[in-house]
């Protein structure tokens, strides 16, 4: 039996238009599946429920797009979360718009605030692996809600932590604005990590560059877990939704009490 993952048909330009017009009168969140996320999506029903309630699902892997195109002759548009984050910060957010960074360091928050001239840029720094501590999760959620309504909330706390927080904000119904699950995008923006040369990005080889930069941390992800995608390729259907289609209600997903935040999660970008 195949697993279906709905992907929104957006490249960077289309996604930027969509998120620009989202506004602060409602709440939604963006997820950005890469190869690791797609594998997790196939294997974990709880993770599927987090994706099911996302307003936008943007393919964050040129490698996966190239592979699916070669094997299945399916054309998929790609919008990298790092590119979207950079574009939103540089060309969408205005100086007085309320924005939040969840994760990263105080220095990274200061760097973004100063670089993009954001006077209403807030930083929330939950402790490591906080998702396993209900009190820490509650504290994080309340801090985000207390700042709102926001224009954008950048969740840079790794997957699936960021998706769990995004979904919990939706269920609670207090937050207003658009949350983006952006993984390591802030590290790239602030120079903590280097991005691959443009030719490697276009060829879908950014993973190889990252592996060469940090083999100890990323070897398991890219060399052991990642190749599983080739075994799952015929069991996963990436179904393209029409541009602009988004999930408004989450009637066919797990209720919050069924979403475990205690593990055994392995946190990735």
């Amino acid at each position: 039996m195949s697993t279906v993952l709905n992907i929104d048909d957006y490249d960077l330009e289309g996604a930027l238009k969509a998120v620009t017009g989202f506004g602060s009168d409602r709440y939604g969140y963006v997820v950005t599946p890469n190869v690791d996320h797609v594998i997790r999506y196939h294997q974990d029903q709880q993770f599927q429920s987090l994706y099911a309630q996302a307003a936008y699902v943007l393919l964050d892997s040129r490698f996966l797009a190239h592979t699916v195109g070669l094997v299945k002759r399916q054309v998929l548009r790609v919008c990298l979360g790092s590119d979207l984050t950079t574009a939103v910060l540089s060309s969408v957010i205005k100086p007085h718009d309320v924005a939040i960074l969840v994760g990263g360091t105080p220095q990274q928050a200061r760097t973004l605030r100063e670089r993009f001239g954001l006077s209403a840029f807030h930083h929330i720094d939950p402790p490591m692996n906080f998702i396993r501590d209900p009190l820490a999760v509650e504290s994080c959620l309340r801090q985000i809600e207390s700042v709102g309504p926001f224009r954008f909330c950048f969740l840079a706390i790794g997957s699936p932590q960021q998706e769990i927080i995004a979904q919990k904000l939706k269920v609670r119904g207090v937050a207003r604005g658009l949350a983006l699950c952006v993984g390591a995008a802030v590290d790239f923006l602030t120079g903590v990590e280097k991005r691959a040369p443009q030719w490697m990005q276009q060829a879908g080889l950014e993973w190889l560059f990252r592996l060469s930069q940090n083999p100890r941390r990323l070897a398991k992800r890219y060399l052991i877990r990642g190749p599983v995608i080739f075994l799952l390729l015929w069991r996963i259907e990436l179904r393209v939704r029409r541009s602009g289609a988004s999930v408004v209600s989450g009637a066919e997903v797990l209720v919050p009490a069924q979403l475990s935040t205690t593990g055994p999660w392995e946190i990735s970008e």
Side-chain angles (χ1 to χ4, degrees), residues 111-129:
T111 297
L112 296 178
R113 187 182 295 114
E114 294 170 2
R115 180 182 302 174
F116 298 104
L118 304 176
S119 61
F121 190 75
H122 302 262
H123 181 223
I124 298 170
D125 186 16
M128 184 73 69
N129 295 323

Side-chain angles (χ1 to χ4, degrees), residues 93-140:
I93 296 183
K94 296 179 173 56
H96 300 297
D97 284 342
V98 176
I100 308 170
L101 171 63
V102 181
T105 66
Q107 179 57 50
Q108 286 179 303
R110 284 193 295 271
T111 297
L112 296 178
R113 187 182 295 114
E114 294 170 2
R115 180 182 302 174
F116 298 104
L118 304 176
S119 61
F121 190 75
H122 302 262
H123 181 223
I124 298 170
D125 186 16
M128 184 73 69
N129 295 323
F130 77 101
I131 207 69
R132 297 182 174 92
D133 181 351
L135 293 178
V137 170
E138 179 66 21
S139 175
C140 180

Side-chain angles (χ1 to χ4, degrees), residues 82 184 186-197 201 206 209-214 217-218:
S82 298
V186 172
D187 289 340
F188 294 135
L189 264 171
T190 57
V192 173
E193 289 193 38
K194 293 175 60 177
R195 287 198 71 179
Q201 294 182 41
E206 192 163 7
F209 180 83
R210 296 194 66 196
L211 177 62
S212 70
Q213 296 292 300
N214 199 335
R217 183 170 72 88
L218 297 175

Side-chain angles (χ1 to χ4, degrees), residues 1-4 42-43 45 48 231-237 239:
M1 184 176 179
S2 65
T3 301
V4 176
H42 175 75
Q43 297 173 340
Q45 287 188 339
Q48 292 174 23
L231 301 177
L232 298 179
L233 204 57
W234 296 106
R235 300 172 64 186
I236 299 175
E237 179 185 353
R239 184 176 296 168

